Amino acid sequence: MIVFWFLLIALVVVVAAVTLAVVGGGEEAVLPEAPPEQVTDPLPATRPVSRSDIEALRLPVTARGYRMADVDDVLGRLGAELAERDARIAELEVALAGARAAASGRPDLFKGDERQS
């Protein structure tokens, strides 16, 4: 019977010690709160995004995948960059077609997307 009581008291002491270690045992926590991961090297705001920027981009991983806010920010930025580049390409194609038509003296030569060889 003495062994039973000794083991019971030892068990209570061990459980209490583990509980105090996990909970922190006081005002100061054992482990400090970790700040949430952020994109360490975001896309540059002062210049257009290049291929190397995309290749170097690393999004922080959470327990269930990537942080949605970071992914949304990156996709929004890339969408805006692509739309801006598409508009610039269309503008340059129109200017090129106009310049070619003016150079040949036939304004209807390059009308639409039909091209003559």
Side-chain angles (χ1 to χ4, degrees):
M1 193 57 135
I2 293 177
V3 173
F4 173 75
W5 285 108
F6 175 75
L7 289 175
L8 184 64
I9 292 171
L11 179 67
V12 169
V13 168
V14 169
V15 169
V18 169
T19 303
L20 286 176
V22 169
V23 173
E27 292 178 13
E28 188 175 327
V30 175
L31 295 175
E33 286 291 323
E37 285 189 55
Q38 299 293 324
V39 177
T40 54
D41 192 17
L43 298 175
T46 58
R47 62 177 172 78
V49 176
S50 68
R51 180 181 176 143
S52 62
D53 294 327
I54 301 300
E55 289 173 350
L57 182 67
R58 296 294 176 258
L59 297 172
V61 179
T62 62
R64 293 177 31 182
Y66 294 104
R67 293 184 61 215
M68 287 188 286
D70 290 337
V71 173
D72 289 344
D73 290 344
V74 168
L75 290 177
R77 173 71 189 277
L78 291 177
E81 291 269 340
L82 289 174
E84 182 178 319
R85 288 180 186 177
D86 288 346
R88 180 69 177 145
I89 289 170
E91 177 184 312
L92 291 173
E93 286 178 343
V94 167
L96 178 62
R100 284 182 177 170
S104 69
R106 294 177 52 200
D108 61 337
L109 182 63
F110 289 101
K111 200 171 208 175
D113 287 340
E114 299 174 11
R115 298 190 180 180
Q116 297 176 358
S117 297

